[in-house]
Amino acid sequence: MTTGRRGAPGSVVDMTTTPESEPATTDREVELDETATIARDLIRFDTSNYGGGRSNGEADAAEYVAEALRALDLEPLVFESEPGRVSVLARVEGADRSKPGLVVHGHLDVVPADPANWSVDPFAGVVRDGMLWGRGAVDMKNMDAMMLSSLGDILRAGERPARDLVVGFLADEEAGGVLGSHFLVTEHPEVFEGATEAISEVGGYSTFIDGRRSYLLQTGEKALIWIKLRTRGTAGHGSQMIVANAVTRLAEAVAVLGRQQWPIALTDTTTALLSEVARILDVDLEQTSPDELVLHTGTAAGFIRGSLRTTTNPTMLTAGYKHNVVPDTAEALVDIRCMPGQEEAVLAEVRALIGDDVEIETMHTDIGLETPFSGPLVEAITGTLERHDPGAPVLPYLLSGGTDNKALSLLGIAGYGFAPLRLDEGMDFPAMFHGVDERVPLDALSFGSRVLRDLLATY
Ligand SMILES: [Zn+2]
């Protein structure tokens, strides 16, 4: 296996990470296992995706992954949707070919990182304090590495996955997957032929509920609606009495949506989650409010709170060009996340809240998803976790954001968020998605690889 710009997968002694400031414990010569080595190598490819068509691209990381797949005697398919924007997929023949296929996918791009805010170089793949640091350590080069190492472990042992797999390393997820998952689903749907289910990111990690380690399996995603508000008024000198001021009117609408307390809107997923939390806490579900229950879900509380109701967050403002000129228009962008299927109703409510004189332009939408927290795959996942972390409950949850599973759902593929990681209580893992000092414990990576290996070999 060659090509990785700075090394290829395999167990190596890591001597390359020497942070400027001396850490509490130095891991200069930590023996990295295969999963950590691959994750570190992938972090070292700066695949920053800035959005709006600007990106470093995934080509180098994709070539590294393709080489790793070839080394397992697989035949990777490489798709370049635009120059430098590369996705890699491979089919793996399963032991029972009569079973429908499973897509196991991750994305190769990452959100940008400003090194000034980080304790380490975000693209150096630093190992310190028993953890791998860097952009993508959490979202989601960790899972990319777990996918490769678990699959490698199965195939090198002369075994097969239990069913056909489509293993995908996709481009452009951080900008909505237009040049990755959506490109593949639209232009090359045949690569997913025969697959009915998928597993990927933002689920499978552990949180502590009342001191008890529990795993969150992501079984749904909220819908998103990105709107632009526009107000119009009278332009004029900044010293005049101007009643129809576009900026004032826009500010009123923005404040209304930003402060709106949307009511709790439970789905099957969040209903099941809350009843399970109540059971663990041993409290009466009828007597305890959802928000109160969520307070006990540890570091996942932020993610979960956002899944219980619609949110309408203003994110950008544009108006005016000089301090003493009242402009005739003003614009704001608002990020709306609502329950699957509630898009029309929420837009009507937004319209009623801000009034008819504010123009609303829909800039981008994406569907919501909800898959059942039952059935053979869910049973296989919970059974596998039970073998590797006995007694730890597995709970469903609804993601307030989105993943490439939205695109795959257009082909009828039911997607779950399952990138298994066993984490200690002090670790605020959810906060590190797109955050600074992204890092993942080395032992969590090897745990994840073992769980994934077990799942793929048996499901
Ligand atoms: Zn991600």
Side-chain angles (χ1 to χ4, degrees):
M1 226 175 312
T2 54
T3 187
R5 206 171 39 194
R6 301 181 204 175
S11 193
V12 296
V13 176
D14 185 76
M15 310 257 311
T16 57
T17 56
T18 314
E20 289 289 297
S21 58
E22 207 59 25
T25 60
T26 310
D27 301 53
R28 284 186 195 170
E29 298 186 21
V30 174
E31 185 85 18
L32 298 182
D33 69 10
E34 187 188 19
T35 315
T37 304
I38 296 172
R40 181 204 60 184
D41 291 350
L42 288 174
I43 286 169
R44 290 177 176 176
F45 298 112
D46 178 355
T47 54
S48 291
N49 189 348
Y50 300 89
R54 281 204 314 127
S55 167
N56 291 351
E58 301 85 4
D60 290 346
E63 179 53 27
Y64 175 96
V65 165
E67 274 303 315
L69 292 167
R70 282 184 204 111
L72 297 173
D73 287 333
L74 298 170
E75 291 167 17
L77 300 169
V78 178
F79 297 95
E80 193 164 17
S81 53
E82 274 186 8
R85 307 310 307 274
V86 186
S87 299
V88 179
L89 291 102
R91 275 194 175 260
V92 189
E93 207 172 289
D96 182 352
R97 310 226 49 207
S98 69
K99 289 181 174 178
L102 175 70
V103 184
V104 186
H105 63 104
H107 58 82
L108 290 174
D109 61 328
V110 293
V111 293
D114 181 355
N117 300 328
W118 284 57
S119 320
V120 298
D121 176 347
F123 299 103
V126 170
V127 174
R128 97 159 45 157
D129 299 337
M131 288 186 271
L132 173 64
W133 299 57
R135 179 57 90 216
V138 167
D139 184 10
M140 64 170 296
K141 288 171 171 171
N142 55 351
M143 175 64 167
D144 294 332
M146 282 152 46
M147 286 160 54
L148 282 172
S149 64
S150 58
L151 187 61
D153 211 47
I154 292 171
L155 297 178
R156 287 189 301 255
E159 299 168 33
R160 318 273 339 152
R163 63 180 65 217
D164 282 10
L165 302 179
V166 179
V167 187
F169 301 85
L170 310 181
D172 201 35
E173 194 275 342
E174 296 294 359
V178 177
L179 299 174
S181 58
H182 279 284
F183 167 80
L184 291 166
V185 162
T186 312
E187 304 292 328
H188 300 280
E190 71 282 356
V191 299
F192 300 107
E193 205 185 317
T196 55
E197 294 170 315
I199 56 173
S200 186
E201 61 174 335
V202 216
Y205 59 90
S206 64
T207 188
F208 280 76
I209 298 177
D210 222 24
R212 186 161 174 200
R213 184 165 49 233
S214 312
Y215 290 85
L216 292 170
L217 174 61
Q218 190 250 103
T219 58
E221 303 181 3
K222 284 171 89 176
L224 74 87
I225 317 167
W226 289 352
I227 59 168
K228 180 188 279 185
L229 306 182
R230 188 182 300 107
T231 52
R232 297 181 194 277
T234 312
H237 197 285
S239 67
Q240 284 181 302
M241 283 287 297
I242 292 185
V243 180
N245 185 316
V247 175
T248 308
R249 185 64 191 94
L250 182 79
E252 287 167 345
V254 164
V256 164
L257 292 184
R259 290 189 194 284
Q260 171 66 8
Q261 303 268 328
W262 292 88
I264 296 278
L266 298 183
T267 67
D268 291 348
T269 300
T270 48
T271 301
L273 168 72
L274 292 174
S275 69
E276 193 58 14
V277 172
R279 193 187 61 77
I280 293 170
L281 297 174
D282 196 21
V283 297
D284 185 352
L285 184 59
E286 306 301 319
Q287 303 296 317
T288 321
S289 77
D291 283 316
E292 219 177 312
L293 286 172
V294 169
L295 289 178
H296 296 273
T297 56
T299 54
F303 271 4
I304 294 173
R305 197 175 300 127
S307 75
L308 300 180
R309 46 170 68 80
T310 296
T311 53
T312 45
N313 278 313
T315 51
M316 293 178 79
L317 295 168
T318 318
Y321 50 89
K322 194 165 187 307
H323 207 146
N324 60 355
V325 179
V326 176
D328 62 350
T329 59
E331 294 178 345
L333 302 186
V334 182
D335 183 350
I336 303 176
R337 309 290 177 128
C338 66
M339 300 311 147
Q342 290 302 301
E343 293 92 327
E344 301 250 315
V346 166
L347 270 180
E349 179 113 22
V350 164
R351 159 63 64 210
L353 282 166
I354 61 177
D356 287 334
D357 60 332
V358 180
E359 296 167 27
I360 300 177
E361 186 183 344
T362 300
M363 312 296 288
H364 177 66
T365 61
D366 211 338
I367 51 172
L369 305 174
E370 198 163 28
T371 41
F373 184 58
S374 60
L377 177 54
V378 170
E379 282 162 27
I381 285 172
T382 50
T384 306
L385 281 172
E386 175 64 25
R387 287 194 290 282
H388 292 265
D389 194 355
V394 182
L395 289 68
Y397 91 110
L398 182 74
L399 183 65
S400 52
T403 74
D404 282 329
N405 278 333
K406 286 191 196 302
L408 294 185
S409 77
L410 301 174
L411 298 176
I413 296 171
Y416 291 85
F418 185 65
L421 293 170
R422 184 177 59 200
L423 302 164
D424 290 335
E425 188 158 16
M427 182 102 201
D428 191 353
F429 189 72
M432 286 192 284
F433 282 85
H434 300 191
V436 296
D437 286 344
E438 229 182 296
R439 58 198 185 277
V440 63
L442 297 175
D443 59 1
L445 282 177
S446 33
F447 171 85
S449 181
R450 289 196 304 275
V451 171
L452 216 50
R453 185 214 193 283
D454 193 358
L455 178 71
L456 299 180
T458 56
Y459 173 59

